[in-house]
Amino acid sequence: MGRRKAGCGHAHEKCKDGRVTDGDFDVLILGAGSGGYACALRAAQLGLTVGLVEKGNLGGTCLHVGCIPTKALLHAAEVADAARDASKFGVSATLEGIDMAGVNAYKDGVVSRLFKGLTGLVKSRGITVIEGEGRLTGPRTVTVGGATYTGKSVVLASGSYSRSLPGLELDGERVISSEHALRLDRVPSSVIVLGGGVIGCEFASVWASFGAQVTILEALPRLVAAEDEASSKALERAFRKRKIDFRTATPFQSVKTTDTGVAVTVEGGDIIEAELLLVAVGRGPLTDGLGYEEQGVAMERGFVLADERCRTNVEGVFAVGDIVPGLQLAHRGFQQGIFVAEEIAGLDPKPIDEAGIPRVTYSHPEIASVGLDEAKAREAYGDRVTTVTYDLGGNGKSQILQTSGFVKLVGLEDGPVLGVHMVGDRVGELIGEAQLIYSWEAHADDVAPLVHAHPTQNEALGEAHLALAGKALHAHS
């Protein structure tokens, strides 16, 4: 089937009640975030007719209020740190301050260029973009405004929202979400970050680099609790060194606004005051009121239940991205979107290994991981698990960059590498090779002979595998 021109290419008719109906699309997608637009692009590439329903902008949370703008802020923070610490490198420079209007213009410019590119790409593929809030009104039917659209297959990809806690109201002024934080026109003098997960630690890192006094409150025993314990401890050490205060195992109780900001009471009665409270307690599935349950789609706590092939319990209805239980990561939704398009087209794609999805926290320092952490590996394999940790102190490029951290490998004796865990500035850029090592079930002996360019941080992966293979060179025994 040839590529269609922009527009659906279907005949339009008016029903007796005046509603406009479209003929069937092969694939009708509800939501144009990472999962939805990836599904649309791949389906169109495979010659299927595609309807893509979106109430906001193409690209969803990730492009507009998530991954992209937060990483732009983190890069601005890195530049601020470089200016502040320039004398360490023999460079005469001073940090005069943070111009938030300039930072926001830089951030918004990045988002705008990517949005323009994505919009052009979707249009060039002949995908019909249906603007407005869609609602599932039949097993294969989505209603948008007064119009009803049907699809041979329907893909639910409605994304997520910033969660809060019961009784904790976001006012957008003193008590804010990450979306509000991205629009701040100033650097706050002090911030309390409620939640020590990925989002909380990234914003804490940005604000500390910009000169704010930061306190993180986390109910769990450690920061970034989903990561390997060694990675958590390394981040905590680095945050202490950066004067970022944090309290773990400290549940939130209440917040009051004051003349100067907020006063937060934690379990035990301590009160902490700051200019702002950022609520970063995770993201919830955006499914309420969209008609999923009414159409018989199996749900749990607002999430859509789907099998390893992204199928819901309703024939012909798929679900991808943050509404499906599991890692809420843009690249997971993106890959699921591609998978579903290929599944609908009859290509029988291989299911996605959730443990093989790479994870990165873009704080200073970064954390990157793929596969099993040591605790999960020992649960599964017991004493057959072996680990090795290669310190970045032995890596030339890391010393040039003045970053510390490690590469930790979790392996199986006489077996494959089960997990790779890294801490250090820019280690997120190493996760691609780590993912291949895990996904291809490589043994340390398979990786050890590979040549890694010198001097790069990438060498640290090679050195760690040499150590796991019993051939450590740049490491003390």
Side-chain angles (χ1 to χ4, degrees), residues 279-293:
V279 180
V281 293
R283 297 187 66 84
L286 199 56
T287 57
D288 195 33
L290 298 183
Y292 298 174
E293 277 188 296

Side-chain angles (χ1 to χ4, degrees), residues 46 98 131 141 150 190 192 194 200 251 254-255 270 285 300 324 328 330 342 360 399 422 425 430 436 450 455 461 466:
L46 292 168
I98 305 297
E131 296 180 358
T141 306
T150 56
S190 56
I192 297 166
L194 181 57
S254 64
V255 60
D270 283 356
E300 187 176 282
V324 180
Q328 290 179 310
E342 294 181 352
V360 185
Q399 292 311 298
M422 301 179 282
D425 289 340
L430 307 183
L436 291 177
L450 300 178
L461 266 176
L466 280 168

Side-chain angles (χ1 to χ4, degrees), residues 1 97 107 207 212 233 250-251 283 317 330 413:
M1 189 181 291
K107 163 180 65 72
W207 280 323
K233 286 180 178 176
T250 306
R283 297 187 66 84
V317 178
E413 282 184 11

Side-chain angles (χ1 to χ4, degrees), residues 29 31-43 45 58-60 62-63 67-68 114 118 121-122 125 155-157 159 310 319-324 327-343 349-350 352 354 357-358 435:
I29 304 163
S34 301
Y37 87 71
C39 185
L41 289 172
R42 183 65 178 126
Q45 196 175 55
L58 293 177
C62 170
L63 177 52
C67 323
I68 298 301
L114 290 170
L118 178 60
L121 191 60
V122 167
R125 297 284 175 86
V155 182
L156 309 179
C310 299
V320 301
D322 287 0
I323 61 171
V324 180
L327 293 169
Q328 290 179 310
L329 297 170
H331 46 281
R332 171 181 179 252
F334 186 86
Q335 201 64 32
Q336 287 177 330
I338 294 170
F339 174 93
V340 166
E342 294 181 352
E343 177 81 351
K350 183 181 176 185
I352 297 163
E354 291 273 323
I357 297 169
Q435 182 194 22

Side-chain angles (χ1 to χ4, degrees), residues 242-447:
R242 295 183 60 198
K243 304 291 190 288
I244 297 173
D245 188 23
F246 59 88
R247 299 192 185 191
T248 52
T250 306
F252 165 90
Q253 280 199 333
S254 64
V255 60
K256 290 181 180 178
T257 55
T258 67
D259 291 340
T260 55
V262 293
V264 172
T265 304
V266 298
E267 196 170 274
D270 283 356
I271 297 174
I272 306 160
E273 297 196 46
E275 183 184 335
L276 293 177
L277 170 64
L278 170 67
V279 180
V281 293
R283 297 187 66 84
L286 199 56
T287 57
D288 195 33
L290 298 183
Y292 298 174
E293 277 188 296
E294 290 89 328
Q295 298 309 317
V297 176
M299 312 275 289
E300 187 176 282
R301 296 179 299 110
F303 287 95
V304 176
L305 300 180
D307 65 12
E308 65 170 7
R309 305 199 75 79
C310 299
R311 298 175 297 200
T312 70
N313 63 309
V314 177
E315 182 70 26
V317 178
F318 299 82
V320 301
D322 287 0
I323 61 171
V324 180
L327 293 169
Q328 290 179 310
L329 297 170
H331 46 281
R332 171 181 179 252
F334 186 86
Q335 201 64 32
Q336 287 177 330
I338 294 170
F339 174 93
V340 166
E342 294 181 352
E343 177 81 351
I344 291 167
L347 300 185
D348 193 28
K350 183 181 176 185
I352 297 163
D353 174 10
E354 291 273 323
I357 297 169
R359 310 170 290 268
V360 185
T361 303
Y362 295 87
S363 49
H364 168 43
E366 291 183 356
I367 298 175
S369 63
V370 66
L372 303 182
D373 63 21
E374 183 176 350
K376 286 190 178 70
R378 291 199 183 282
E379 277 177 29
Y381 300 100
D383 293 339
R384 294 176 59 206
V385 171
T386 180
T387 69
V388 67
T389 300
Y390 173 73
D391 196 291
L392 293 185
N395 176 255
K397 187 60 182 285
S398 294
Q399 292 311 298
I400 290 165
L401 295 172
Q402 296 282 279
T403 188
S404 58
F406 58 78
V407 174
K408 176 179 176 178
L409 302 181
V410 178
L412 203 56
E413 282 184 11
D414 301 318
V417 174
L418 301 173
V420 182
H421 305 272
M422 301 179 282
V423 177
D425 289 340
R426 306 188 187 182
V427 295
E429 301 300 327
L430 307 183
I431 200 66
E433 183 184 359
Q435 182 194 22
L436 291 177
I437 289 165
Y438 168 82
S439 297
W440 287 346
E441 300 181 353
H443 292 220
D445 282 329
D446 296 323
V447 182

